[in-house]
Amino acid sequence: MHSRSHIQEQKLSYQQSLANQLVTAVIILNKKLAIVYVNPAAEALLNKSIYRLYNTASDVIFANTSINSPRLQQLLTSGQEFTDSDIVIELNEHHRFTAEVTASSVEFNKTPHVLLELKQIDQQKQISLEVFQYQQWLAARDLIKGLAHEIKNPLGGLRGAAQLLSKELNNDQLEYTTMIIEQADRLTNLVDRLLGPNQLPQIQAQNIHVILEKVCQLVSYSNEQKINLLRDYDPSLPPVECDQEKLQQAVINIVNNAIQAIDKKNTITLRTRIASNKTIHGKRIKLAVQISIIDNGPGIPSKIQDTLFYPMVSGRSNGTGLGLSISQTLINQHHGKLSYHSRPGHTEFTILLPLTQQPLNQAPLPQGNIL
Ligand SMILES: Nc1ncnc2c1ncn2[C@@H]1O[C@H](COP(=O)(O)OP(=O)(O)OP(=O)(O)O)[C@@H](O)[C@H]1O
Ligand SMILES: [Mg+2]
């Protein structure tokens, strides 16, 4: 017979080595929600040793996520465990990852602790999600494009008929036909925006910073509040094969949104960098130019985040919800990718433009180059 204490000792040693072997990252918090233990997988995920993480408040690691102190306190009192997926953990500007987090309460030395298990949502899943969202966007775009096309034809006839009719009417009856013509023009304008950019890109090697400076100049007219536009350029960027007008328009739409969302105490930063080993719609790209448009405003309303790039999705009462969809189309015409992440205080739109060996105007263009 083995003694109880011997079994207990063995159990502890197995538990210890099990925690060390786990692929899942494990974090244990004390009653004050400070870290008291991390296993090697968590050290690797957070890129810090247990010595540096010891006593760090959970709020520091899980800032701006749903894993907040009130919820963890409640877990300690009620014991009800929970799992949240898609938790974006941002430890610094360069270290961000998405994880599924399960929180449960455990007892150590007769005191309740919080046990957090973190599973990093692997890159492959992120890529297939991106591809899925891109296909959804293509489907929504085609549907709206078809609809807009059907509306456009009769609108022309309607306007023409009202114009002819106005010639038959007395002056005091003209207001009716004028109204028809005005509203038909308003609709035509909307439908034209729905149909989106319909010219093929004129590709040339361009200096991105010249384009961004032009954007700053152009938006200064809509920037009545005189919001501060900061530049953080990488001067070593090579010229990029692109259509200056189209890229300019894509960036303007994004900057204008930021201007509309923020006020004078906030800033917008235009940042350029070289990026390597990125994925664009499921394809691996070795080198790309990255343009980021960052603001420290209130963030994108969460209810529109999943469908943000779809046409007609807007969070503003007077918005048509076409700006970002058009930007997406324009960036796709460059074989690039537009993405974003947003939380209160930090919204970042990122444009990736691949640096290709083959000139873009010799590469096949993506299908359906109008919205
Ligand atoms: N930087 C940002 N901060 C906060 N919310 C934003 C930001 N950028 C976009 N949004 C939200 O995304 C929505 C969609 O933007 P989008 O440009 O597609 O349409 P819109 O601005 O509403 O209308 P349109 O551009 O057609 O006039 C906006 O209505 C706004 O709610
Ligand atoms: Mg807009």
Side-chain angles (χ1 to χ4, degrees):
M1 275 291 274
H2 295 289
S3 72
R4 232 187 131 72
S5 64
H6 173 73
I7 298 176
Q8 187 71 16
E9 218 172 84
Q10 267 217 339
K11 187 173 141 194
L12 280 176
S13 116
Y14 276 123
Q15 280 172 348
Q16 180 66 39
S17 43
L18 196 65
N20 286 343
Q21 293 302 317
L22 281 181
V23 197
T24 307
V26 173
I27 301 176
I28 298 174
L29 309 174
N30 63 13
K31 266 200 315 196
K32 291 183 186 154
L33 305 180
I35 294 178
V36 288
Y37 173 74
V38 289
N39 72 345
E43 287 182 313
L45 192 61
L46 302 175
N47 209 6
K48 276 188 188 151
S49 72
I50 186 163
Y51 303 103
R52 292 197 54 200
L53 288 166
Y54 192 82
N55 222 9
T56 306
S58 64
D59 278 348
V60 174
I61 308 287
F62 296 101
N64 303 304
T65 72
S66 58
I67 315 286
N68 51 26
S69 300
R71 249 180 116 202
L72 294 175
Q73 287 294 357
Q74 205 194 345
L75 167 74
L76 281 174
T77 45
S78 71
Q80 193 139 38
E81 70 167 61
F82 61 83
T83 300
D84 285 5
S85 48
D86 292 338
I87 299 291
V88 180
I89 298 172
E90 195 170 358
L91 298 170
N92 58 47
E93 200 189 311
H94 309 290
H95 189 187
R96 176 177 346 121
F97 60 89
T98 308
E100 183 185 88
V101 180
T102 300
S104 51
S105 92
V106 284
E107 250 189 35
F108 290 109
N109 301 329
K110 302 214 169 74
T111 41
H113 285 66
V114 175
L115 172 71
L116 297 169
E117 293 164 67
L118 280 74
K119 264 185 236 136
Q120 187 170 8
I121 296 178
D122 69 332
Q123 222 195 359
Q124 199 48 46
K125 191 166 167 193
Q126 191 63 30
I127 291 168
S128 44
L129 185 72
E130 263 178 39
V131 171
F132 174 73
Q133 283 182 337
Y134 178 61
Q135 269 155 7
Q136 293 267 307
W137 173 82
L138 284 177
R141 185 202 68 171
D142 286 349
L143 182 76
I144 295 215
K145 200 177 106 183
L147 210 64
H149 202 263
E150 285 306 299
I151 295 171
K152 197 169 170 164
N153 289 340
L155 259 184
L158 200 76
R159 191 188 193 281
Q163 237 170 352
L164 284 176
L165 191 61
S166 64
K167 292 194 182 125
E168 311 284 318
L169 298 177
N170 312 326
N171 270 356
D172 54 343
Q173 293 169 315
L174 275 182
E175 62 177 298
Y176 303 117
T177 47
T178 310
M179 184 191 276
I180 298 174
I181 292 169
E182 264 175 25
Q183 294 302 317
D185 284 346
R186 201 174 72 83
L187 263 179
T188 310
N189 199 355
L190 174 70
V191 163
D192 281 342
R193 288 194 72 204
L194 278 173
L195 285 170
N198 60 0
Q199 309 262 308
L200 289 179
Q202 305 289 316
I203 303 292
Q204 271 180 354
Q206 309 275 357
N207 178 339
I208 289 289
H209 300 132
V210 171
I211 298 180
L212 293 182
E213 282 308 298
K214 185 86 187 160
V215 169
C216 293
Q217 197 190 348
L218 286 167
V219 297
S220 66
Y221 306 122
S222 59
N223 183 3
E224 283 159 13
Q225 303 186 69
K226 299 277 166 278
I227 285 162
N228 230 350
L229 278 172
L230 308 174
R231 278 85 152 174
D232 174 6
Y233 293 160
D234 174 350
S236 68
L237 284 193
V240 178
E241 296 267 325
C242 65
D243 179 316
Q244 170 162 354
E245 296 270 315
K246 286 180 187 279
L247 195 57
Q248 205 167 284
Q249 190 56 49
V251 180
I252 286 178
N253 290 352
I254 299 168
V255 176
N256 272 341
N257 281 346
I259 290 178
Q260 283 154 358
I262 66 180
D263 55 41
K264 211 172 173 337
K265 65 179 187 307
N266 300 117
T267 51
I268 299 174
T269 308
L270 298 178
R271 179 188 294 157
T272 57
R273 292 286 183 272
I274 281 281
S276 55
N277 288 328
K278 295 283 176 183
T279 312
I280 297 185
H281 306 312
K283 268 201 220 125
R284 203 108 189 112
I285 301 293
K286 267 201 189 143
L287 269 186
V289 161
Q290 180 170 318
I291 307 169
S292 308
I293 298 108
I294 307 158
D295 73 72
N296 55 358
I300 293 168
S302 54
K303 66 173 189 300
I304 60 169
Q305 288 211 6
D306 286 345
T307 49
L308 191 69
F309 293 135
Y310 291 11
M312 312 208 83
V313 169
S314 176
R316 299 190 291 118
S317 55
N318 55 349
T320 46
L322 292 176
L324 288 176
S325 182
I326 291 171
S327 294
Q328 167 100 307
T329 305
L330 294 170
I331 304 295
N332 286 343
Q333 287 182 343
H334 289 86
H335 306 268
K337 180 168 89 170
L338 175 62
S339 60
Y340 78 96
H341 72 102
S342 176
R343 56 173 163 79
H346 187 99
T347 299
E348 182 165 345
F349 282 85
T350 306
I351 299 172
L352 274 181
L353 298 171
L355 284 170
T356 45
Q357 306 294 322
Q358 184 185 18
L360 252 189
N361 47 7
Q362 284 170 25
L365 277 164
Q367 287 279 302
N369 41 40
I370 54 177
L371 181 84

